[in-house]
Amino acid sequence: MLHLVGVAAGWSVFVWLWTRVAFDLPDYGILAWLVLTTLVVCPSVTLYWILHNLAIFRAKGPRTHTVEAEMRYERDWNGRDVMADWPLLMQARITVIGVVDERKVYRTLQRRTEQPPTLERIFAKG
């Protein structure tokens, strides 16, 4: 979020200065302050980022392998149980995701072979 605020502030200053140029002669004192600040702030932020990454490298050491992702997906980010037939969903053209009784349920519009051909409500509880 801090990066987003910084970018928004930079664009705001950019637009404000161009409106000053468009409607009046610019105040060269403000322009000099802006150039000086840019020459100090940008290299300082870059140097901080480099030092931050070097500190992480010193603490963790070099990367020797990629991070393995956990393949099981039993709970979502909110702690809800996940109910899904993954082999069936991998072949599905349409997947419907919903929350039913505090469980995240993944469904497909494709009929399972073991089910009798009955009409089901997709968004029904249960």
Side-chain angles (χ1 to χ4, degrees), residues 74-94:
E74 297 172 352
R75 290 192 173 280
D76 69 355
W77 290 99
N78 295 319
R80 293 183 289 239
D81 291 330
V82 174
M83 307 285 292
D85 184 359
W86 298 116
L88 181 66
L89 289 170
M90 287 172 51
Q91 300 171 4
R93 294 180 67 185
I94 299 174

Side-chain angles (χ1 to χ4, degrees), residues 1-123:
M1 288 299 289
L2 185 60
H3 179 72
L4 182 64
V5 170
V7 169
W11 277 106
S12 299
V13 169
F14 179 78
V15 169
W16 174 69
L17 287 174
W18 270 111
T19 57
R20 290 188 52 110
V21 168
F23 296 114
D24 196 9
L25 290 175
D27 181 4
Y28 290 109
I30 292 176
L31 188 59
W33 178 83
L34 181 65
V35 169
L36 183 62
T37 303
T38 303
L39 290 175
V40 172
V41 170
C42 289
S44 299
V45 169
T46 303
L47 179 63
Y48 169 76
W49 189 250
I50 291 170
L51 294 175
H52 169 73
N53 285 329
L54 286 173
I56 291 173
F57 177 77
R58 274 190 238 103
K60 291 187 173 185
R63 293 182 185 174
T64 57
H65 63 282
T66 59
V67 178
E68 294 292 328
E70 181 66 36
M71 294 302 295
R72 295 182 333 192
Y73 183 55
E74 297 172 352
R75 290 192 173 280
D76 69 355
W77 290 99
N78 295 319
R80 293 183 289 239
D81 291 330
V82 174
M83 307 285 292
D85 184 359
W86 298 116
L88 181 66
L89 289 170
M90 287 172 51
Q91 300 171 4
R93 294 180 67 185
I94 299 174
T95 302
V96 179
I97 305 169
V99 177
V100 178
D101 297 328
E102 296 301 317
R103 294 177 298 176
K104 185 178 273 188
V105 180
Y106 289 76
R107 298 178 184 168
T108 179
L109 296 181
Q110 191 174 18
R111 185 184 312 140
R112 296 183 185 184
T113 57
E114 66 269 3
Q115 289 180 337
T118 60
L119 182 63
E120 295 181 14
R121 289 177 31 199
I122 296 172
F123 296 105

